[in-house]
Amino acid sequence: MELSTKTPRIEVVDALRGFAVMAILLVHNLEHFIFPVYPESSPEWLTILDAGVLNATFSLLAGKSYAIFALLFGFTFFIQSHNQQLKGKDFGYRFLWRMVLLVGFATLNAAFFPAGDVLLLFAVVSLVLFIVRKWSDKAILITAILFSLQPIEWFHYIMSLFNPAYTLPDLNVGAMYAEVADYTKAGNFWDFLIGNITLGQKASLFWAIGAGRFLQTAGLFLFGLYIGRKELFVATESHLKFWTKALIITAISFAPLYSLKEQIIQSDSSLIQQTVGTAFDMWQKFAFTIVLVSSFMLLYQKDKFKKAVSNLRFYGKMSLTNYISQSILGAIIYFPFGLYLAPYCGYTLSLIIGIVLFLLQVKFCKWWLSKHKQGPLETIWHKWTWIGTKK
């Protein structure tokens, strides 16, 4: 199907983005927004329940919500780029300016999120979208696959085979996060803000290097761009067949990938754990991410499911506002400068708090969108993206 007018908004993408941001909110609540302070003791029944909540939530959502978010980031780039292309314009340089603005939003979010913010990683890695924007579909798909193979991790592993004394670069991430934990526990608000937007952001980027997130994110961006070019989120018969095949293949692949990952991380060699283990961990998470995306896409064609998740559309339309406001609210709830509820909240209670926050955010989204076209931060980002020009 050839697009000849401005690309219409695709409902399922808003709902899927809303699901991803909701999942991030729930995972971050269980983590106390990367502030690992929990009750020192709990009744046995609650300890068992907490363990179940933690395992279920992390197995289903951790690492997958971020991946969906990244996938849709690449898809959104396609939509914006394509709309400008239809007008005979190159969106590339305006996109770079848009990413400069994203660094500002990343800084705002990181101020309340001690672990550093993924939006900064997105802004840095997004350069790959600028570079490939005029490449062919085939070249983009091949590059996405190459990035997803985690070549840097395999390089380190192969080097260790030739040189038993080979070690991974020490990026000092542990020491940086220890310092972050110290000033967070101290409870001084200004030290907290300044430390987060400097040391916290640095620690986050260095952690992403060691965790293979740079190339993984680049690969996800390109897969999202490819999905956009092929219009796979448009619910035609052939596209639904594609998502059905994707669901079957990734569902079958997940179990062996997960099993291999579990075996590898039992290795006595920390280098193998951090290289081959990282690669297989990302592959099994990617497989499960596609299971989630394809299942969501197929289920969304059913009226009952579409109605059940309708609130996610509102939530997804204001994803930037919701993503940043959840960090601010989480910091106020859990951290020492705020209510400091972290020592009193186990995983179950933290999940309940996350659900309540989600419902409150949804209510705000519905109210706001009844009066405005976009969320408050989305409006700022949109206006500043196009400042000095007429679209």
Side-chain angles (χ1 to χ4, degrees):
M1 180 175 68
E2 185 69 27
L3 293 177
S4 58
T5 60
K6 183 176 180 180
T7 307
R9 197 167 188 109
I10 302 175
E11 269 191 16
V12 69
V13 173
D14 283 328
L16 190 56
R17 185 179 287 110
F19 171 77
V21 178
M22 177 198 71
I24 290 170
L25 170 63
L26 298 181
V27 170
H28 282 173
N29 266 273
L30 262 65
E31 295 176 324
H32 291 173
F33 290 80
I34 321 300
F35 182 56
V37 176
Y38 298 92
E40 293 183 0
S41 62
S42 300
E44 184 179 357
W45 66 269
L46 185 55
T47 300
I48 296 171
L49 182 59
D50 280 345
V53 167
L54 176 66
N55 291 333
T57 304
F58 271 68
S59 296
L60 290 172
L61 304 177
K64 295 85 174 178
S65 47
Y66 141 81
I68 295 173
F69 207 39
L71 200 69
L72 296 181
F73 188 92
F75 174 80
T76 301
F77 171 78
F78 161 76
I79 295 294
Q80 294 169 327
S81 183
H82 183 74
N83 286 340
Q84 291 305 302
Q85 187 180 2
L86 292 174
K87 300 175 183 179
K89 299 177 181 179
D90 180 6
F91 180 63
Y93 294 97
R94 187 59 55 172
F95 174 72
L96 293 181
W97 165 241
R98 185 173 172 83
M99 292 302 97
V100 172
L101 297 175
L102 185 62
V103 171
F105 289 116
T107 303
L108 172 61
N109 193 65
F112 296 90
F113 191 70
D117 184 56
V118 74
L119 293 180
L120 180 60
L121 175 65
F122 280 20
V124 173
V125 177
S126 67
L127 183 62
V128 72
L129 290 170
F130 173 81
I131 293 171
V132 308
R133 69 191 189 283
K134 296 181 180 180
W135 288 13
S136 68
D137 295 348
K138 184 178 180 180
I140 287 172
L141 180 59
I142 291 172
T143 307
I145 293 170
L146 289 175
F147 282 149
S148 299
L149 290 175
Q150 300 300 138
I152 293 177
E153 275 59 47
W154 288 105
F155 168 80
H156 287 309
Y157 172 66
I158 292 170
M159 289 297 293
S160 73
L161 296 179
F162 289 99
N163 178 14
Y166 184 84
T167 57
L168 296 175
D170 183 6
L171 301 177
N172 207 32
V173 174
M176 285 190 279
Y177 274 133
E179 189 175 339
V180 170
D182 287 341
Y183 68 65
T184 302
K185 290 176 182 177
N188 183 290
F189 181 66
W190 294 111
D191 288 347
F192 176 78
L193 291 186
I194 294 170
N196 286 349
I197 63 177
T198 53
L199 182 63
Q201 288 284 60
K202 179 182 177 182
S204 176
L205 286 179
F206 278 40
W207 172 85
I209 293 172
R213 280 286 179 96
F214 271 79
L215 291 189
Q216 184 202 34
T217 302
L220 290 167
F221 283 178
L222 296 188
F223 279 126
L225 173 58
Y226 183 83
I227 287 172
R229 286 192 175 190
K230 295 299 184 181
E231 302 179 43
L232 294 175
F233 283 134
V234 178
T236 65
E237 183 179 352
S238 62
H239 294 160
L240 293 177
K241 286 182 179 178
F242 166 84
W243 289 114
T244 302
K245 292 177 182 177
L247 174 60
I248 294 170
I249 293 169
T250 53
I252 293 172
S253 303
F254 170 73
L257 288 171
Y258 179 83
S259 178
L260 285 169
K261 183 267 297 187
E262 288 293 304
Q263 293 180 41
I264 292 166
I265 62 174
Q266 300 299 321
S267 169
D268 294 332
S269 169
S270 62
L271 187 141
I272 291 176
Q273 293 175 9
Q274 295 174 59
T275 56
V276 182
T278 295
F280 274 90
D281 183 51
M282 289 192 167
W283 295 345
Q284 62 93 11
K285 285 178 178 175
F286 178 75
F288 198 81
T289 297
I290 300 303
V291 168
L292 291 175
V293 171
S294 53
S295 297
F296 197 97
M297 183 70 188
L298 294 169
L299 287 170
Y300 202 79
Q301 310 314 310
K302 309 294 183 182
D303 289 337
K304 287 185 178 179
F305 182 81
K306 183 185 293 189
K307 184 177 180 181
V309 301
S310 60
N311 284 337
L312 290 177
R313 287 192 294 111
F314 300 101
Y315 199 66
K317 285 181 180 179
M318 289 175 50
S319 57
L320 181 63
T321 297
N322 290 323
Y323 180 73
I324 292 179
S325 62
Q326 66 179 238
S327 295
I328 297 172
L329 292 170
I332 293 171
I333 291 170
Y334 294 111
F335 294 161
F337 73 80
L339 300 176
Y340 196 32
L341 296 184
Y344 309 99
C345 297
Y347 295 120
T348 304
L349 182 54
S350 299
L351 179 64
I352 293 171
I353 291 173
I355 293 171
V356 171
L357 286 179
F358 166 69
L359 294 175
L360 290 174
Q361 284 187 312
V362 167
K363 190 171 184 180
F364 174 74
C365 290
K366 295 176 78 169
W367 171 79
W368 183 273
L369 290 173
S370 69
K371 301 176 182 295
H372 306 86
K373 186 178 179 180
Q374 296 175 304
L377 294 186
E378 286 77 8
T379 299
I380 294 172
W381 199 16
H382 179 80
K383 286 183 177 179
W384 288 3
T385 294
W386 299 104
I387 194 169
T389 186
K390 292 184 178 180
K391 293 186 293 177

